Amino acid sequence: MQAVSTLSNHDLRDEIKAYWSLRAETFDSQPGHEIFSEDERAAWHALFSKHLGDGQGRQALDLACGTAVVSHILDDLGFKVTGLDWAEPMLERARAKAAKRGREIRFLMGDAENTMEADQSYDVITNRHLVWTLVDPLACFREWHRVLRTGGRVLIVDGDFVNVSPLTRLMKRLTQWAARIGLAKDAKHGAPNSDMAETHNRILSRVHFSDGAHADAVVELLKQAGFAKISVDTDLGAIHRAQRKNFSFLKGLERATQHRYAICAEK
């Protein structure tokens, strides 16, 4: 299989799409992506319920849905869910997972920055670990504002993985040291090999939030896009504690010290 890093005739957006298409193969095998315990599932339910309330059949659009982890959380809560992703390998796995679990979730191939959905057609828009990858987040947020009904909410789950604290840097170095002596296998959690890790870093250096997607910067762009009643929730401890059981000890501590957040905004 050709490594993404050898592609030379793709622009940045094409490279991002190709990267996540390849990542689909191992996506559900990694903690922090798929959910591996009922404790973690309950923690995600609590977070989404806190900011979005019960679904009650309301229309939800899960952007960059990947293999539909968040789509299933929304479905659990009673939303009528559409999952949208531009990587067909991700959608193949999402459709198979929904069929296996007997879920009625609609999946579409599409671009989170240009959804092609009708004006005011959704009550809720969600995404997880999408914003840091955006090429033009302001245009994207304006698109989400267009698609939402008045009173609708967007919930962004993301983090600043560039500007890390001294404690996070220490945990990362300790995790890498533990990996060298065989005590941690997840030092390079995410990209499954060095070629894809290099591609990931190259993409990160060229996206809008190349200097880090800090919550304050995301909030400012949401305001410019017309959103109001914006709140930043950094209390993700229950999720991190549940995920930590599936990470090596040091990797779990590293993730828990990162600037991760949920931002809720209303139209």
Side-chain angles (χ1 to χ4, degrees):
M1 180 182 294
Q2 185 182 33
V4 179
S5 58
T6 66
L7 299 173
S8 60
N9 62 338
H10 281 194
D11 64 16
L12 176 56
R13 289 165 56 81
D14 288 331
E15 190 167 359
I16 294 171
K17 182 176 181 178
Y19 173 79
W20 287 108
S21 293
L22 290 180
R23 283 289 302 277
E25 185 175 353
T26 58
F27 192 84
D28 278 345
S29 68
Q30 296 180 329
H33 296 161
E34 181 55 282
I35 295 172
F36 287 94
S37 72
E38 290 308 309
D39 285 348
E40 182 183 353
R41 192 177 310 280
W44 281 110
H45 285 165
L47 178 69
F48 277 64
S49 294
K50 175 181 178 181
H51 294 287
L52 303 177
D54 293 333
Q56 300 179 335
R58 289 181 293 153
Q59 298 281 346
L61 177 61
D62 181 25
L63 294 172
C65 68
T67 63
V69 177
V70 169
S71 297
H72 282 255
I73 294 169
L74 293 167
D75 186 72
D76 291 342
L77 296 176
F79 288 94
K80 187 172 182 181
V81 186
T82 296
L84 184 145
D85 202 285
W86 65 357
E88 180 59 32
M90 288 286 192
L91 289 175
E92 290 174 359
R93 286 161 174 78
R95 294 186 183 106
K97 186 188 297 184
K100 182 178 180 180
R101 296 180 179 175
R103 304 298 184 95
E104 295 184 1
I105 301 173
R106 181 176 72 142
F107 293 104
L108 301 175
M109 177 175 284
D111 183 354
E113 298 189 33
N114 183 22
T115 66
M116 306 296 289
E117 294 291 89
D119 292 356
Q120 302 190 60
S121 52
Y122 290 95
D123 302 291
V124 163
I125 291 176
T126 61
N127 54 84
R128 183 181 69 163
H129 300 165
L130 164 66
V131 166
W132 74 266
T133 72
L134 294 175
V135 177
D136 188 349
L138 179 55
C140 193
F141 295 167
R142 285 172 173 159
E143 167 72 356
W144 301 355
H145 192 273
R146 178 189 68 79
V147 170
L148 274 175
R149 296 183 176 115
T150 301
R153 295 181 181 180
V154 58
L155 182 62
I156 295 168
V157 180
D158 222 292
D160 181 349
F161 311 123
V162 177
N163 299 300
V164 297
S165 68
L167 179 57
T168 303
R169 285 195 293 271
L170 174 61
M171 290 297 103
K172 187 176 185 66
R173 287 196 294 269
L174 288 174
T175 303
Q176 292 170 340
W177 169 81
R180 286 196 294 270
I181 63 174
L183 295 179
K185 297 181 180 180
D186 51 6
K188 293 183 178 180
H189 176 74
N193 57 57
S194 57
D195 282 345
M196 292 187 72
E198 180 183 342
T199 300
H200 178 281
N201 291 334
R202 185 170 64 250
I203 289 171
L204 178 58
S205 72
R206 295 157 62 202
V207 295
H208 177 90
F209 289 115
S210 59
D211 293 329
H214 195 280
D216 291 345
V218 177
V219 166
E220 180 57 36
L221 291 177
L222 286 168
K223 290 178 180 177
Q224 291 181 38
F227 284 97
K229 297 182 181 179
I230 303 172
S231 64
V232 179
D233 186 354
T234 58
D235 184 15
L236 307 185
I239 294 171
H240 295 153
R241 286 191 296 273
Q243 291 177 341
R244 195 179 302 166
K245 299 172 184 177
N246 295 290
F247 285 110
S248 65
F249 176 73
L250 292 171
K251 188 66 176 179
L253 290 178
E254 176 193 331
R255 287 173 63 87
T257 60
Q258 291 173 328
H259 175 58
R260 293 173 177 264
Y261 50 79
I263 299 176
C264 187
E266 185 173 313
K267 176 174 176 178

PDB file of all heavy atoms in Angstrom, residues 228-262:
ATOM      1  N   ALA A 228     -23.900  32.310  19.526  1.00  0.00           N
ATOM      2  CA  ALA A 228     -24.053  32.986  20.813  1.00  0.00           C
ATOM      3  C   ALA A 228     -24.154  31.933  21.917  1.00  0.00           C
ATOM      4  O   ALA A 228     -24.135  30.736  21.653  1.00  0.00           O
ATOM      5  CB  ALA A 228     -25.290  33.868  20.797  1.00  0.00           C
ATOM      6  N   LYS A 229     -24.256  32.420  23.164  1.00  0.00           N
ATOM      7  CA  LYS A 229     -24.384  31.529  24.326  1.00  0.00           C
ATOM      8  C   LYS A 229     -23.329  30.424  24.281  1.00  0.00           C
ATOM      9  O   LYS A 229     -23.637  29.233  24.366  1.00  0.00           O
ATOM     10  CB  LYS A 229     -25.788  30.931  24.397  1.00  0.00           C
ATOM     11  CG  LYS A 229     -26.893  31.957  24.588  1.00  0.00           C
ATOM     12  CD  LYS A 229     -28.253  31.295  24.693  1.00  0.00           C
ATOM     13  CE  LYS A 229     -29.364  32.328  24.853  1.00  0.00           C
ATOM     14  NZ  LYS A 229     -30.711  31.718  24.929  1.00  0.00           N
ATOM     15  N   ILE A 230     -22.094  30.829  24.148  1.00  0.00           N
ATOM     16  CA  ILE A 230     -20.989  29.876  23.981  1.00  0.00           C
ATOM     17  C   ILE A 230     -20.404  29.530  25.343  1.00  0.00           C
ATOM     18  O   ILE A 230     -20.078  30.409  26.136  1.00  0.00           O
ATOM     19  CB  ILE A 230     -19.893  30.473  23.071  1.00  0.00           C
ATOM     20  CG1 ILE A 230     -20.497  30.872  21.717  1.00  0.00           C
ATOM     21  CG2 ILE A 230     -18.756  29.475  22.878  1.00  0.00           C
ATOM     22  CD1 ILE A 230     -19.542  31.640  20.823  1.00  0.00           C
ATOM     23  N   SER A 231     -20.269  28.247  25.604  1.00  0.00           N
ATOM     24  CA  SER A 231     -19.681  27.781  26.858  1.00  0.00           C
ATOM     25  C   SER A 231     -18.546  26.816  26.566  1.00  0.00           C
ATOM     26  O   SER A 231     -18.578  26.076  25.579  1.00  0.00           O
ATOM     27  CB  SER A 231     -20.728  27.099  27.738  1.00  0.00           C
ATOM     28  OG  SER A 231     -21.231  25.931  27.110  1.00  0.00           O
ATOM     29  N   VAL A 232     -17.533  26.836  27.424  1.00  0.00           N
ATOM     30  CA  VAL A 232     -16.385  25.936  27.310  1.00  0.00           C
ATOM     31  C   VAL A 232     -16.367  25.027  28.527  1.00  0.00           C
ATOM     32  O   VAL A 232     -16.323  25.500  29.658  1.00  0.00           O
ATOM     33  CB  VAL A 232     -15.060  26.716  27.214  1.00  0.00           C
ATOM     34  CG1 VAL A 232     -13.879  25.757  27.116  1.00  0.00           C
ATOM     35  CG2 VAL A 232     -15.084  27.656  26.014  1.00  0.00           C
ATOM     36  N   ASP A 233     -16.407  23.739  28.294  1.00  0.00           N
ATOM     37  CA  ASP A 233     -16.440  22.742  29.360  1.00  0.00           C
ATOM     38  C   ASP A 233     -15.139  21.943  29.312  1.00  0.00           C
ATOM     39  O   ASP A 233     -14.880  21.226  28.347  1.00  0.00           O
ATOM     40  CB  ASP A 233     -17.646  21.822  29.148  1.00  0.00           C
ATOM     41  CG  ASP A 233     -17.857  20.830  30.288  1.00  0.00           C
ATOM     42  OD1 ASP A 233     -16.997  20.776  31.190  1.00  0.00           O
ATOM     43  OD2 ASP A 233     -18.878  20.114  30.262  1.00  0.00           O
ATOM     44  N   THR A 234     -14.317  22.086  30.330  1.00  0.00           N
ATOM     45  CA  THR A 234     -13.069  21.326  30.403  1.00  0.00           C
ATOM     46  C   THR A 234     -13.160  20.181  31.412  1.00  0.00           C
ATOM     47  O   THR A 234     -12.159  19.524  31.691  1.00  0.00           O
ATOM     48  CB  THR A 234     -11.895  22.242  30.778  1.00  0.00           C
ATOM     49  OG1 THR A 234     -12.170  22.886  32.024  1.00  0.00           O
ATOM     50  CG2 THR A 234     -11.661  23.293  29.700  1.00  0.00           C
ATOM     51  N   ASP A 235     -14.344  19.948  31.939  1.00  0.00           N
ATOM     52  CA  ASP A 235     -14.536  18.891  32.932  1.00  0.00           C
ATOM     53  C   ASP A 235     -14.824  17.568  32.227  1.00  0.00           C
ATOM     54  O   ASP A 235     -15.957  17.080  32.208  1.00  0.00           O
ATOM     55  CB  ASP A 235     -15.670  19.259  33.886  1.00  0.00           C
ATOM     56  CG  ASP A 235     -15.854  18.229  34.997  1.00  0.00           C
ATOM     57  OD1 ASP A 235     -14.933  17.408  35.189  1.00  0.00           O
ATOM     58  OD2 ASP A 235     -16.914  18.249  35.653  1.00  0.00           O
ATOM     59  N   LEU A 236     -13.775  16.996  31.620  1.00  0.00           N
ATOM     60  CA  LEU A 236     -13.898  15.727  30.903  1.00  0.00           C
ATOM     61  C   LEU A 236     -13.245  14.595  31.690  1.00  0.00           C
ATOM     62  O   LEU A 236     -12.892  13.555  31.136  1.00  0.00           O
ATOM     63  CB  LEU A 236     -13.258  15.842  29.516  1.00  0.00           C
ATOM     64  CG  LEU A 236     -13.730  17.007  28.634  1.00  0.00           C
ATOM     65  CD1 LEU A 236     -13.093  16.914  27.259  1.00  0.00           C
ATOM     66  CD2 LEU A 236     -15.249  17.044  28.520  1.00  0.00           C
ATOM     67  N   GLY A 237     -13.098  14.796  32.992  1.00  0.00           N
ATOM     68  CA  GLY A 237     -12.380  13.838  33.825  1.00  0.00           C
ATOM     69  C   GLY A 237     -12.971  12.443  33.813  1.00  0.00           C
ATOM     70  O   GLY A 237     -12.238  11.449  33.796  1.00  0.00           O
ATOM     71  N   ALA A 238     -14.298  12.335  33.811  1.00  0.00           N
ATOM     72  CA  ALA A 238     -14.927  11.009  33.829  1.00  0.00           C
ATOM     73  C   ALA A 238     -14.587  10.227  32.563  1.00  0.00           C
ATOM     74  O   ALA A 238     -14.332   9.011  32.618  1.00  0.00           O
ATOM     75  CB  ALA A 238     -16.443  11.150  33.976  1.00  0.00           C
ATOM     76  N   ILE A 239     -14.545  10.918  31.432  1.00  0.00           N
ATOM     77  CA  ILE A 239     -14.166  10.262  30.175  1.00  0.00           C
ATOM     78  C   ILE A 239     -12.711   9.829  30.229  1.00  0.00           C
ATOM     79  O   ILE A 239     -12.365   8.696  29.876  1.00  0.00           O
ATOM     80  CB  ILE A 239     -14.410  11.208  28.985  1.00  0.00           C
ATOM     81  CG1 ILE A 239     -15.906  11.461  28.818  1.00  0.00           C
ATOM     82  CG2 ILE A 239     -13.807  10.636  27.700  1.00  0.00           C
ATOM     83  CD1 ILE A 239     -16.244  12.542  27.826  1.00  0.00           C
ATOM     84  N   HIS A 240     -11.834  10.713  30.680  1.00  0.00           N
ATOM     85  CA  HIS A 240     -10.408  10.401  30.738  1.00  0.00           C
ATOM     86  C   HIS A 240     -10.122   9.241  31.687  1.00  0.00           C
ATOM     87  O   HIS A 240      -9.291   8.377  31.386  1.00  0.00           O
ATOM     88  CB  HIS A 240      -9.611  11.638  31.166  1.00  0.00           C
ATOM     89  CG  HIS A 240      -9.679  12.756  30.185  1.00  0.00           C
ATOM     90  ND1 HIS A 240      -9.536  14.083  30.549  1.00  0.00           N
ATOM     91  CD2 HIS A 240      -9.904  12.756  28.848  1.00  0.00           C
ATOM     92  CE1 HIS A 240      -9.651  14.844  29.476  1.00  0.00           C
ATOM     93  NE2 HIS A 240      -9.870  14.061  28.439  1.00  0.00           N
ATOM     94  N   ARG A 241     -10.802   9.211  32.819  1.00  0.00           N
ATOM     95  CA  ARG A 241     -10.582   8.119  33.772  1.00  0.00           C
ATOM     96  C   ARG A 241     -11.006   6.776  33.184  1.00  0.00           C
ATOM     97  O   ARG A 241     -10.322   5.763  33.370  1.00  0.00           O
ATOM     98  CB  ARG A 241     -11.340   8.396  35.064  1.00  0.00           C
ATOM     99  CG  ARG A 241     -10.707   9.475  35.933  1.00  0.00           C
ATOM    100  CD  ARG A 241     -11.336   9.535  37.308  1.00  0.00           C
ATOM    101  NE  ARG A 241     -12.739   9.928  37.262  1.00  0.00           N
ATOM    102  CZ  ARG A 241     -13.152  11.193  37.269  1.00  0.00           C
ATOM    103  NH1 ARG A 241     -12.277  12.190  37.307  1.00  0.00           N
ATOM    104  NH2 ARG A 241     -14.452  11.481  37.245  1.00  0.00           N
ATOM    105  N   ALA A 242     -12.123   6.776  32.460  1.00  0.00           N
ATOM    106  CA  ALA A 242     -12.585   5.534  31.840  1.00  0.00           C
ATOM    107  C   ALA A 242     -11.642   5.092  30.723  1.00  0.00           C
ATOM    108  O   ALA A 242     -11.338   3.900  30.593  1.00  0.00           O
ATOM    109  CB  ALA A 242     -14.004   5.718  31.307  1.00  0.00           C
ATOM    110  N   GLN A 243     -11.156   6.038  29.923  1.00  0.00           N
ATOM    111  CA  GLN A 243     -10.244   5.699  28.827  1.00  0.00           C
ATOM    112  C   GLN A 243      -8.898   5.223  29.351  1.00  0.00           C
ATOM    113  O   GLN A 243      -8.241   4.376  28.731  1.00  0.00           O
ATOM    114  CB  GLN A 243     -10.038   6.917  27.928  1.00  0.00           C
ATOM    115  CG  GLN A 243     -11.256   7.306  27.123  1.00  0.00           C
ATOM    116  CD  GLN A 243     -11.041   8.558  26.299  1.00  0.00           C
ATOM    117  OE1 GLN A 243     -10.128   9.347  26.574  1.00  0.00           O
ATOM    118  NE2 GLN A 243     -11.867   8.767  25.295  1.00  0.00           N
ATOM    119  N   ARG A 244      -8.487   5.751  30.501  1.00  0.00           N
ATOM    120  CA  ARG A 244      -7.169   5.442  31.043  1.00  0.00           C
ATOM    121  C   ARG A 244      -6.975   3.935  31.291  1.00  0.00           C
ATOM    122  O   ARG A 244      -5.863   3.424  31.228  1.00  0.00           O
ATOM    123  CB  ARG A 244      -6.950   6.218  32.340  1.00  0.00           C
ATOM    124  CG  ARG A 244      -5.499   6.273  32.808  1.00  0.00           C
ATOM    125  CD  ARG A 244      -5.384   7.096  34.088  1.00  0.00           C
ATOM    126  NE  ARG A 244      -5.893   8.445  33.898  1.00  0.00           N
ATOM    127  CZ  ARG A 244      -6.172   9.281  34.877  1.00  0.00           C
ATOM    128  NH1 ARG A 244      -6.022   8.906  36.139  1.00  0.00           N
ATOM    129  NH2 ARG A 244      -6.608  10.497  34.619  1.00  0.00           N
ATOM    130  N   LYS A 245      -8.055   3.230  31.538  1.00  0.00           N
ATOM    131  CA  LYS A 245      -7.967   1.798  31.791  1.00  0.00           C
ATOM    132  C   LYS A 245      -7.458   1.029  30.577  1.00  0.00           C
ATOM    133  O   LYS A 245      -6.969  -0.098  30.710  1.00  0.00           O
ATOM    134  CB  LYS A 245      -9.338   1.249  32.196  1.00  0.00           C
ATOM    135  CG  LYS A 245      -9.898   1.870  33.470  1.00  0.00           C
ATOM    136  CD  LYS A 245     -11.333   1.430  33.727  1.00  0.00           C
ATOM    137  CE  LYS A 245     -11.920   2.123  34.937  1.00  0.00           C
ATOM    138  NZ  LYS A 245     -13.349   1.766  35.161  1.00  0.00           N
ATOM    139  N   ASN A 246      -7.562   1.637  29.403  1.00  0.00           N
ATOM    140  CA  ASN A 246      -7.137   0.974  28.170  1.00  0.00           C
ATOM    141  C   ASN A 246      -5.845   1.543  27.594  1.00  0.00           C
ATOM    142  O   ASN A 246      -5.405   1.128  26.528  1.00  0.00           O
ATOM    143  CB  ASN A 246      -8.249   1.077  27.123  1.00  0.00           C
ATOM    144  CG  ASN A 246      -9.492   0.332  27.539  1.00  0.00           C
ATOM    145  OD1 ASN A 246      -9.511  -0.887  27.585  1.00  0.00           O
ATOM    146  ND2 ASN A 246     -10.540   1.073  27.878  1.00  0.00           N
ATOM    147  N   PHE A 247      -5.248   2.507  28.310  1.00  0.00           N
ATOM    148  CA  PHE A 247      -3.944   3.035  27.943  1.00  0.00           C
ATOM    149  C   PHE A 247      -2.896   2.514  28.914  1.00  0.00           C
ATOM    150  O   PHE A 247      -3.224   2.067  30.026  1.00  0.00           O
ATOM    151  CB  PHE A 247      -3.935   4.568  28.003  1.00  0.00           C
ATOM    152  CG  PHE A 247      -4.638   5.243  26.861  1.00  0.00           C
ATOM    153  CD1 PHE A 247      -5.846   5.910  27.049  1.00  0.00           C
ATOM    154  CD2 PHE A 247      -4.089   5.216  25.589  1.00  0.00           C
ATOM    155  CE1 PHE A 247      -6.486   6.539  26.004  1.00  0.00           C
ATOM    156  CE2 PHE A 247      -4.720   5.846  24.533  1.00  0.00           C
ATOM    157  CZ  PHE A 247      -5.925   6.504  24.740  1.00  0.00           C
ATOM    158  N   SER A 248      -1.638   2.613  28.507  1.00  0.00           N
ATOM    159  CA  SER A 248      -0.580   2.396  29.480  1.00  0.00           C
ATOM    160  C   SER A 248      -0.687   3.496  30.539  1.00  0.00           C
ATOM    161  O   SER A 248      -1.268   4.556  30.305  1.00  0.00           O
ATOM    162  CB  SER A 248       0.798   2.446  28.811  1.00  0.00           C
ATOM    163  OG  SER A 248       1.069   3.740  28.296  1.00  0.00           O
ATOM    164  N   PHE A 249      -0.141   3.254  31.711  1.00  0.00           N
ATOM    165  CA  PHE A 249      -0.287   4.185  32.829  1.00  0.00           C
ATOM    166  C   PHE A 249       0.181   5.590  32.452  1.00  0.00           C
ATOM    167  O   PHE A 249      -0.529   6.582  32.667  1.00  0.00           O
ATOM    168  CB  PHE A 249       0.502   3.674  34.035  1.00  0.00           C
ATOM    169  CG  PHE A 249       0.490   4.612  35.204  1.00  0.00           C
ATOM    170  CD1 PHE A 249      -0.645   4.765  35.973  1.00  0.00           C
ATOM    171  CD2 PHE A 249       1.625   5.344  35.532  1.00  0.00           C
ATOM    172  CE1 PHE A 249      -0.661   5.650  37.060  1.00  0.00           C
ATOM    173  CE2 PHE A 249       1.617   6.225  36.614  1.00  0.00           C
ATOM    174  CZ  PHE A 249       0.468   6.371  37.376  1.00  0.00           C
ATOM    175  N   LEU A 250       1.362   5.699  31.859  1.00  0.00           N
ATOM    176  CA  LEU A 250       1.916   7.006  31.538  1.00  0.00           C
ATOM    177  C   LEU A 250       1.165   7.687  30.404  1.00  0.00           C
ATOM    178  O   LEU A 250       0.969   8.903  30.416  1.00  0.00           O
ATOM    179  CB  LEU A 250       3.401   6.874  31.197  1.00  0.00           C
ATOM    180  CG  LEU A 250       4.315   6.488  32.360  1.00  0.00           C
ATOM    181  CD1 LEU A 250       5.712   6.166  31.862  1.00  0.00           C
ATOM    182  CD2 LEU A 250       4.354   7.615  33.402  1.00  0.00           C
ATOM    183  N   LYS A 251       0.738   6.900  29.407  1.00  0.00           N
ATOM    184  CA  LYS A 251      -0.018   7.489  28.296  1.00  0.00           C
ATOM    185  C   LYS A 251      -1.344   8.039  28.796  1.00  0.00           C
ATOM    186  O   LYS A 251      -1.790   9.112  28.363  1.00  0.00           O
ATOM    187  CB  LYS A 251      -0.267   6.450  27.211  1.00  0.00           C
ATOM    188  CG  LYS A 251      -0.879   7.032  25.937  1.00  0.00           C
ATOM    189  CD  LYS A 251       0.094   7.973  25.255  1.00  0.00           C
ATOM    190  CE  LYS A 251      -0.433   8.491  23.938  1.00  0.00           C
ATOM    191  NZ  LYS A 251       0.511   9.433  23.292  1.00  0.00           N
ATOM    192  N   GLY A 252      -1.979   7.336  29.720  1.00  0.00           N
ATOM    193  CA  GLY A 252      -3.216   7.835  30.294  1.00  0.00           C
ATOM    194  C   GLY A 252      -3.030   9.148  31.019  1.00  0.00           C
ATOM    195  O   GLY A 252      -3.844  10.069  30.904  1.00  0.00           O
ATOM    196  N   LEU A 253      -1.922   9.268  31.762  1.00  0.00           N
ATOM    197  CA  LEU A 253      -1.629  10.516  32.455  1.00  0.00           C
ATOM    198  C   LEU A 253      -1.332  11.634  31.463  1.00  0.00           C
ATOM    199  O   LEU A 253      -1.741  12.790  31.666  1.00  0.00           O
ATOM    200  CB  LEU A 253      -0.447  10.325  33.400  1.00  0.00           C
ATOM    201  CG  LEU A 253      -0.688   9.465  34.642  1.00  0.00           C
ATOM    202  CD1 LEU A 253       0.597   9.344  35.454  1.00  0.00           C
ATOM    203  CD2 LEU A 253      -1.811  10.045  35.500  1.00  0.00           C
ATOM    204  N   GLU A 254      -0.619  11.309  30.405  1.00  0.00           N
ATOM    205  CA  GLU A 254      -0.307  12.320  29.386  1.00  0.00           C
ATOM    206  C   GLU A 254      -1.577  12.907  28.794  1.00  0.00           C
ATOM    207  O   GLU A 254      -1.734  14.135  28.708  1.00  0.00           O
ATOM    208  CB  GLU A 254       0.537  11.684  28.276  1.00  0.00           C
ATOM    209  CG  GLU A 254       0.835  12.614  27.113  1.00  0.00           C
ATOM    210  CD  GLU A 254       1.398  11.867  25.910  1.00  0.00           C
ATOM    211  OE1 GLU A 254       2.052  10.816  26.097  1.00  0.00           O
ATOM    212  OE2 GLU A 254       1.171  12.339  24.782  1.00  0.00           O
ATOM    213  N   ARG A 255      -2.511  12.057  28.411  1.00  0.00           N
ATOM    214  CA  ARG A 255      -3.760  12.531  27.804  1.00  0.00           C
ATOM    215  C   ARG A 255      -4.580  13.358  28.792  1.00  0.00           C
ATOM    216  O   ARG A 255      -5.203  14.351  28.422  1.00  0.00           O
ATOM    217  CB  ARG A 255      -4.575  11.341  27.289  1.00  0.00           C
ATOM    218  CG  ARG A 255      -3.988  10.708  26.040  1.00  0.00           C
ATOM    219  CD  ARG A 255      -4.734   9.446  25.672  1.00  0.00           C
ATOM    220  NE  ARG A 255      -6.123   9.713  25.339  1.00  0.00           N
ATOM    221  CZ  ARG A 255      -6.574  10.056  24.128  1.00  0.00           C
ATOM    222  NH1 ARG A 255      -5.724  10.180  23.116  1.00  0.00           N
ATOM    223  NH2 ARG A 255      -7.854  10.271  23.916  1.00  0.00           N
ATOM    224  N   ALA A 256      -4.570  12.949  30.047  1.00  0.00           N
ATOM    225  CA  ALA A 256      -5.362  13.654  31.052  1.00  0.00           C
ATOM    226  C   ALA A 256      -4.841  15.062  31.327  1.00  0.00           C
ATOM    227  O   ALA A 256      -5.585  15.918  31.815  1.00  0.00           O
ATOM    228  CB  ALA A 256      -5.399  12.851  32.344  1.00  0.00           C
ATOM    229  N   THR A 257      -3.560  15.326  31.005  1.00  0.00           N
ATOM    230  CA  THR A 257      -2.989  16.651  31.254  1.00  0.00           C
ATOM    231  C   THR A 257      -3.110  17.577  30.044  1.00  0.00           C
ATOM    232  O   THR A 257      -2.737  18.749  30.124  1.00  0.00           O
ATOM    233  CB  THR A 257      -1.496  16.535  31.632  1.00  0.00           C
ATOM    234  OG1 THR A 257      -0.779  15.915  30.557  1.00  0.00           O
ATOM    235  CG2 THR A 257      -1.319  15.710  32.905  1.00  0.00           C
ATOM    236  N   GLN A 258      -3.626  17.084  28.920  1.00  0.00           N
ATOM    237  CA  GLN A 258      -3.770  17.910  27.734  1.00  0.00           C
ATOM    238  C   GLN A 258      -4.957  18.870  27.861  1.00  0.00           C
ATOM    239  O   GLN A 258      -5.870  18.653  28.657  1.00  0.00           O
ATOM    240  CB  GLN A 258      -3.960  17.023  26.493  1.00  0.00           C
ATOM    241  CG  GLN A 258      -2.725  16.228  26.113  1.00  0.00           C
ATOM    242  CD  GLN A 258      -3.021  15.244  24.996  1.00  0.00           C
ATOM    243  OE1 GLN A 258      -4.124  14.717  24.888  1.00  0.00           O
ATOM    244  NE2 GLN A 258      -2.021  14.974  24.166  1.00  0.00           N
ATOM    245  N   HIS A 259      -4.937  19.940  27.056  1.00  0.00           N
ATOM    246  CA  HIS A 259      -6.024  20.913  27.028  1.00  0.00           C
ATOM    247  C   HIS A 259      -7.118  20.378  26.110  1.00  0.00           C
ATOM    248  O   HIS A 259      -7.142  20.613  24.907  1.00  0.00           O
ATOM    249  CB  HIS A 259      -5.508  22.263  26.512  1.00  0.00           C
ATOM    250  CG  HIS A 259      -6.592  23.295  26.335  1.00  0.00           C
ATOM    251  ND1 HIS A 259      -7.408  23.714  27.364  1.00  0.00           N
ATOM    252  CD2 HIS A 259      -6.991  23.993  25.235  1.00  0.00           C
ATOM    253  CE1 HIS A 259      -8.256  24.631  26.920  1.00  0.00           C
ATOM    254  NE2 HIS A 259      -8.025  24.809  25.630  1.00  0.00           N
ATOM    255  N   ARG A 260      -8.033  19.609  26.695  1.00  0.00           N
ATOM    256  CA  ARG A 260      -9.162  19.028  25.972  1.00  0.00           C
ATOM    257  C   ARG A 260     -10.443  19.676  26.479  1.00  0.00           C
ATOM    258  O   ARG A 260     -10.552  20.023  27.647  1.00  0.00           O
ATOM    259  CB  ARG A 260      -9.202  17.504  26.164  1.00  0.00           C
ATOM    260  CG  ARG A 260      -8.012  16.780  25.511  1.00  0.00           C
ATOM    261  CD  ARG A 260      -8.002  15.301  25.858  1.00  0.00           C
ATOM    262  NE  ARG A 260      -6.906  14.617  25.178  1.00  0.00           N
ATOM    263  CZ  ARG A 260      -7.014  13.958  24.037  1.00  0.00           C
ATOM    264  NH1 ARG A 260      -8.199  13.864  23.452  1.00  0.00           N
ATOM    265  NH2 ARG A 260      -5.979  13.377  23.472  1.00  0.00           N
ATOM    266  N   TYR A 261     -11.429  19.802  25.602  1.00  0.00           N
ATOM    267  CA  TYR A 261     -12.609  20.579  25.963  1.00  0.00           C
ATOM    268  C   TYR A 261     -13.807  20.186  25.113  1.00  0.00           C
ATOM    269  O   TYR A 261     -13.688  19.554  24.058  1.00  0.00           O
ATOM    270  CB  TYR A 261     -12.335  22.069  25.777  1.00  0.00           C
ATOM    271  CG  TYR A 261     -11.754  22.406  24.417  1.00  0.00           C
ATOM    272  CD1 TYR A 261     -12.568  22.487  23.279  1.00  0.00           C
ATOM    273  CD2 TYR A 261     -10.385  22.604  24.243  1.00  0.00           C
ATOM    274  CE1 TYR A 261     -12.042  22.766  22.039  1.00  0.00           C
ATOM    275  CE2 TYR A 261      -9.846  22.891  22.993  1.00  0.00           C
ATOM    276  CZ  TYR A 261     -10.682  22.976  21.890  1.00  0.00           C
ATOM    277  OH  TYR A 261     -10.155  23.241  20.661  1.00  0.00           O
ATOM    278  N   ALA A 262     -14.978  20.592  25.598  1.00  0.00           N
ATOM    279  CA  ALA A 262     -16.217  20.549  24.833  1.00  0.00           C
ATOM    280  C   ALA A 262     -16.752  21.972  24.773  1.00  0.00           C
ATOM    281  O   ALA A 262     -16.906  22.625  25.810  1.00  0.00           O
ATOM    282  CB  ALA A 262     -17.234  19.622  25.472  1.00  0.00           C
TER     283      ALA A 262
END
